[in-house]
Amino acid sequence: MRGWSRRIRVLSLKIVLMCPSKRQLEEKYKYLFKQVAEPTDLCDQRSLSLLLHNAVQIPRQLGEVPSFGGRNIEPSVCSCFQHVSVLCANSIEIDIKHFVEWMRLEPRSMVWLPVLHHVAAAETAKHQAKCNICKEYPFVGFRYRSLKHLNYDMCRSCFFSGRTSKGHKLHYPVVENCTPTTSGEDVRDFTKVLKNNFRSKKYFAKHPRLGYLPLQTVLEDKEILVMQ
Ligand SMILES: [Zn+2]
């Protein structure tokens, strides 16, 4: 029992130290998985519980654990294994690929990790773009690009203030960039702008701009369970 609790403390510390590091987000997911998957490179429900239990200690220390579904990590473990069993039936262990796929869906209990990652990356990101509202150029931090209008950018404070200009509406979709964009991303966003110009307001109401994979929790029995 003493060995078990020591393992929990060491694992929590490793996760804390990993969060602000400059490695890619997926590398962070893989690092997490490897902490509990040695030496077989596979992870059963018990090992995943251990990992998630340690991970939720971070929002817990910040007093934010209810926002991420509470301290009970059972729904998260079920969500991960259900996601995997859709791909390969009755799986009792998951591999690193399946874990990363599930984490990419941003399950509620773990969504703080990509958020922290993006905040850390955005702190120093300088965008060669002008904020269409406050006119700052270039600007630092998060960049919000309209997927409805070409070359419509907002800095973080203008985006969250809810101010708009030039016919841009609050329900229009935006993409959040925490690092300067590459030309490939610019092309991808350009195609989204084109598609969005053929979609209706109803579509945007049904598709929230930023989201995560919801999980059923003991605190929120009435929440609808949505598995993607
Ligand atoms: Zn601005």
Side-chain angles (χ1 to χ4, degrees):
M1 196 63 199
R2 185 180 274 182
W4 176 259
S5 58
R6 184 177 172 278
R7 199 177 166 203
I8 285 178
R9 284 199 304 272
V10 171
L11 188 50
S12 286
L13 185 61
K14 281 183 172 179
I15 298 170
V16 169
L17 294 174
M18 175 204 74
C19 282
S21 77
K22 291 220 183 303
R23 67 175 91 181
Q24 298 283 315
L25 187 55
E26 290 213 356
E27 290 304 312
K28 291 182 179 178
Y29 295 161
K30 288 176 184 171
Y31 174 82
L32 285 180
F33 184 83
K34 284 175 185 165
Q35 300 311 307
V36 291
E38 301 290 348
T40 57
D41 292 333
L42 291 169
C43 177
D44 60 13
Q45 294 204 9
R46 189 166 179 265
S47 300
L48 185 63
S49 298
L50 175 72
L51 175 62
L52 298 178
H53 173 78
N54 278 274
V56 298
Q57 300 309 311
I58 295 171
R60 189 180 163 208
Q61 291 302 319
L62 300 170
E64 292 290 340
V65 80
S67 311
F68 301 101
R71 286 161 62 179
N72 184 1
I73 42 82
E74 205 60 34
S76 302
V77 176
C78 290
S79 164
C80 183
F81 274 80
Q82 279 179 18
H83 176 70
V84 175
S85 65
V86 171
L87 307 169
C88 41
N90 302 323
S91 181
I92 55 162
E93 287 177 318
I94 55 168
D95 62 19
I96 197 161
K97 188 171 136 267
H98 291 136
F99 178 73
V100 171
E101 273 175 18
W102 178 68
M103 286 293 284
R104 273 197 212 128
L105 299 174
E106 301 193 344
R108 182 175 175 184
S109 57
M110 290 300 289
V111 75
W112 54 269
L113 177 55
V115 170
L116 275 185
H117 174 85
H118 291 138
V119 167
E123 262 181 5
T124 52
K126 187 187 267 189
H127 305 282
Q128 297 302 319
K130 184 161 100 174
C131 173
N132 277 63
I133 296 168
C134 70
K135 311 295 180 199
E136 190 161 324
Y137 172 88
F139 61 85
V140 176
F142 282 101
R143 173 189 183 186
Y144 295 87
R145 313 171 68 199
S146 171
L147 291 179
K148 181 81 174 164
H149 292 138
L150 268 181
N151 298 322
Y152 191 96
D153 297 278
M154 287 169 279
C155 71
R156 187 174 191 271
S157 61
C158 289
F159 176 74
F160 281 103
S161 72
R163 290 164 63 201
T164 58
S165 68
K166 250 188 14 188
H168 182 85
K169 301 279 193 323
L170 286 177
H171 64 265
Y172 285 172
V174 292
V175 61
E176 184 186 73
N177 294 134
C178 60
T179 51
T181 52
T182 61
S183 54
E185 285 171 323
D186 288 342
V187 169
R188 188 197 61 199
D189 292 342
F190 174 69
T191 57
K192 284 183 184 167
V193 169
L194 286 181
K195 280 183 191 165
N196 283 331
N197 277 290
F198 293 104
R199 285 178 178 150
S200 67
K201 192 173 170 181
K202 224 176 190 177
Y203 173 89
F204 297 128
K206 278 187 193 165
H207 296 78
R209 296 184 299 176
L210 302 169
Y212 54 79
L213 175 67
L215 301 166
Q216 192 166 36
T217 71
V218 285
L219 297 172
E220 295 160 313
D221 289 338
K222 287 177 187 154
E223 186 176 359
I224 299 164
L225 183 63
V226 181
M227 293 296 169
Q228 292 180 1

